[in-house]
């Protein structure tokens, strides 16, 4: 294992051929410093792979599947080995005298992010692609409003910014890249040189919503991931990530929420959030859907205004019921930039919704950041 230019662990070369047993036993991975951010390429947020120049062996849509790639050594189809990823055919040169592809030859896929934002890091996962992964990858980003077609994105009128320069990758490995571009992006172009397969793509970053959209909504969920809210920290992420609590929609199963390990002390668990900008919160939903024998027993909510503000309790410690959506209307709107939910003593919640609107200062702050990032 080596390091790339940003100091991250990197992998090059083939993995060993599959020799039986657990296929992930020799999978090469590392801890990356950006994975605490939300995955902007999450299908649950609305991300999609909208086009690819080739998907002969395996469909492009596999790139964004939320679960880890699977491997079945006996699974073959009419075109060959069926892989859980995006895999293109082998490129060839133009003649018997020139049988190899040129240095410029490559395959590509266009990805629409589920929420536009600033990208902090990308993982190109080649799990189970041991001798059929790309020699190198490169990734570009663009900021295009609306719902552009693939032809519009490829027209030459769109400005693409290099996020990951052409870089060698390894097979059956998590290849991580830190991104330093302080810009807002809506779409990616993922290139593999010259051909091959990628199992999964993860794009970690911070959502930067459109101020005009939120202004038109008026009242909205000011902590929702898709609106620019984010998890700053949590006491425990043992069973599932705290970010699940601000994902779109209702939880669909137990691990689609946040669940902590069982406490054996007298403390309690908590999540701390940053709102999209300074907001006035008027109503709260705390949902424990699918958490039946492991939901939190009680919950309290506190708000603070600014990094140096004092925490003020706006929802006192309140009994929660299993598998239930709890709704609370606050007697007085709570103004702030950060929220903390405390659960007692442990357990979990599936979703937290904070309904309100931006303050005048909050709206101005969001508009300034949007403009600064090229929105």
């Amino acid at each position: 294992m080596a390091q790339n230019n940003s100091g991250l662990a990197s992998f090059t070369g083939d993995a060993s051929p599959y020799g039986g047993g657990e296929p992930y036993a020799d999978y090469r991975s590392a801890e990356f410093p950006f994975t605490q951010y939300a995955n902007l390429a999450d299908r649950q947020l609305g991300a999609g792979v909208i086009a690819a120049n080739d998907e002969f062996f395996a469909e492009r849509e596999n790139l964004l599947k939320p679960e880890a790639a699977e491997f079945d050594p006996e699974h073959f189809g009419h075109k060959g080995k069926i892989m859980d990823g995006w895999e293109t055919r082998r490129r060839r040169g133009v003649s018997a005298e020139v049988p190899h592809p040129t240095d410029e030859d490559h395959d590509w896929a266009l990805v629409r992010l589920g929420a536009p934002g600033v990208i902090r890091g990308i993982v190109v996962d080649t799990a189970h692609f041991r001798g059929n992964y790309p020699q190198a990858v490169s990734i570009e980003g663009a900021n295009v409003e609306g719902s552009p077609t693939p032809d519009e994105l490829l027209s030459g009128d769109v400005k693409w910014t290099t996020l990951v320069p052409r870089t060698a990758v390894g097979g059956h490995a998590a290849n991580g890249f830190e991104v330093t571009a302080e810009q807002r992006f809506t779409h990616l172009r993922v290139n593999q040189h010259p051909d091959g397969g990628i199992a999964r793509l993860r794009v970690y970053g911070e959502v930067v919503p459109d101020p005009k959209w939120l202004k038109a909504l008026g009242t909205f969920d000011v902590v929702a991931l898709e609106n620019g809210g984010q998890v700053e920290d949590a006491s425990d992420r043992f069973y599932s990530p705290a970010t699940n609590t601000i994902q779109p929609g209702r939880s669909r199963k137990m691990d689609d929420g946040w669940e902590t390990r069982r406490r054996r002390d007298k403390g309690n668990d908590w999540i701390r959030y940053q709102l999209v900008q300074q907001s006035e919160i008027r109503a709260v939903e705390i949902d424990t859907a699918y958490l039946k024998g492991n939901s939190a027993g009680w919950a309290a909510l506190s708000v603070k205004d600014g990094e140096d503000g004092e925490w003020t309790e706006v929802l006192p410690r309140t009994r929660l019921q299993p598998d239930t959506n709890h709704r609370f209307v606050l007697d007085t709107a709570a103004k702030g930039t950060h929220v903390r939910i405390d659960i007692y003593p442990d357990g979990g919640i599936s979703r937290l919704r904070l309904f309100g609107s931006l303050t005048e200062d909050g709206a101005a702050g969001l508009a300034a950041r949007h403009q600064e990032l090229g929105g």
Side-chain angles (χ1 to χ4, degrees):
M1 183 172 68
Q3 289 190 327
N4 60 31
N5 291 337
S6 61
L8 301 181
S10 63
F11 309 94
T12 55
D14 295 349
S16 299
Y18 176 65
E22 168 53 49
Y24 273 107
D26 61 340
Y27 175 70
R28 298 178 290 177
S29 62
E31 294 292 328
F32 299 118
F34 45 73
T35 55
Q36 77 272 19
Y37 293 103
N39 177 20
L40 303 183
D42 191 337
R43 284 288 300 174
Q44 199 171 348
L45 275 176
V49 187
I50 60 176
N53 72 305
D54 187 295
E55 46 188 332
F56 186 86
F57 286 114
E59 296 82 4
R60 64 183 191 262
E61 289 86 357
N62 289 334
L63 281 173
L64 305 189
K65 289 165 69 174
E67 62 274 0
E70 297 181 350
F71 181 71
D72 181 350
E74 306 299 327
H75 196 192
F76 286 84
H78 294 294
K79 295 181 179 180
K81 181 74 186 74
I82 295 176
M83 297 293 290
D84 186 8
W86 168 48
E87 185 181 5
T88 66
R89 72 192 78 200
R90 299 186 189 219
R91 281 185 170 268
R92 297 291 185 248
V94 295
S95 66
E97 291 73 28
V98 187
H100 302 101
T102 70
D103 287 343
E104 290 73 35
D105 287 340
H106 68 277
D107 293 319
W108 53 264
L110 294 176
V111 177
R112 179 191 65 243
L113 298 180
V118 179
I119 298 170
R120 300 302 183 193
I122 297 174
V123 174
V124 176
D125 188 349
T126 57
H128 316 304
F129 289 93
R130 296 168 179 268
N132 51 347
Y133 60 93
Q135 181 185 41
V137 300
S138 61
I139 301 174
E140 302 156 278
N143 183 22
V144 183
E145 293 306 315
S147 304
T149 66
D151 286 344
E152 289 169 336
L153 289 170
L154 298 171
S155 66
D157 297 328
V158 173
K159 177 188 175 183
W160 290 93
T161 300
T162 299
L163 305 182
V164 178
R166 184 168 175 169
T167 306
V169 295
H172 196 44
N175 300 277
F177 305 94
E178 202 157 21
V179 176
T180 58
E182 283 292 325
Q183 298 178 47
R184 180 182 188 263
F185 295 104
T186 60
H187 294 78
L188 298 184
R189 184 161 60 189
V190 179
N191 306 305
Q192 46 178 339
H193 307 267
D195 54 38
I198 298 170
R200 297 290 188 267
L201 178 74
R202 303 292 186 246
V203 183
Y204 297 99
E206 302 170 55
V207 175
V208 181
D210 183 350
K212 296 191 300 292
W213 176 253
L214 296 186
K215 181 179 179 181
L217 292 180
T219 296
F220 59 92
D221 182 357
V222 298
V223 77
L225 183 59
E226 61 189 320
N227 294 332
Q230 58 183 301
V231 169
E232 282 196 328
D233 200 2
S235 61
D236 188 292
R237 297 177 174 89
F238 189 83
Y239 286 113
S240 45
T243 304
N244 281 354
T245 60
I246 54 175
Q247 286 277 11
R250 299 293 182 192
S251 175
R252 296 166 296 174
K253 51 195 174 88
M254 191 174 72
D255 67 351
D256 194 17
W258 172 60
E259 182 190 356
T260 71
R261 74 192 81 195
R262 299 187 187 211
R263 277 194 170 267
R264 301 308 187 199
D265 58 22
K266 300 301 181 184
N268 73 284
D269 288 316
W270 51 267
I271 305 175
R272 189 174 71 244
Y273 304 90
Q274 180 175 312
L275 307 182
V276 53
Q277 282 284 342
Q278 187 188 65
S279 305
E280 287 189 342
I281 302 166
R282 294 184 289 274
V284 176
E285 282 190 3
I286 302 174
D287 196 352
T288 59
Y290 293 98
L291 295 161
K292 298 184 177 181
N294 48 0
S295 66
W298 293 263
L301 198 73
S302 300
V303 175
K304 76 171 182 177
D305 192 25
E307 292 289 348
D308 300 324
E310 296 291 329
W311 288 107
T312 301
E313 188 175 76
V314 297
L315 182 69
R317 194 179 305 188
T318 303
R319 189 74 168 96
L320 299 181
Q321 299 300 320
D323 195 26
T324 300
N325 189 30
H326 309 77
R327 289 179 169 173
F328 309 95
V329 176
L330 301 183
D331 294 334
T332 304
K335 184 172 76 172
T337 56
H338 297 73
V339 165
R340 189 184 73 235
I341 187 168
D342 288 275
I343 63 170
Y344 300 88
D346 55 23
I349 61 173
S350 62
R351 295 289 188 272
L352 175 68
R353 305 293 187 215
L354 303 176
F355 295 103
S357 54
L358 294 175
T359 64
E360 187 175 332
D361 287 347
L366 180 61
R369 184 163 189 250
H370 186 264
Q371 183 175 15
E372 177 188 346
L373 295 170

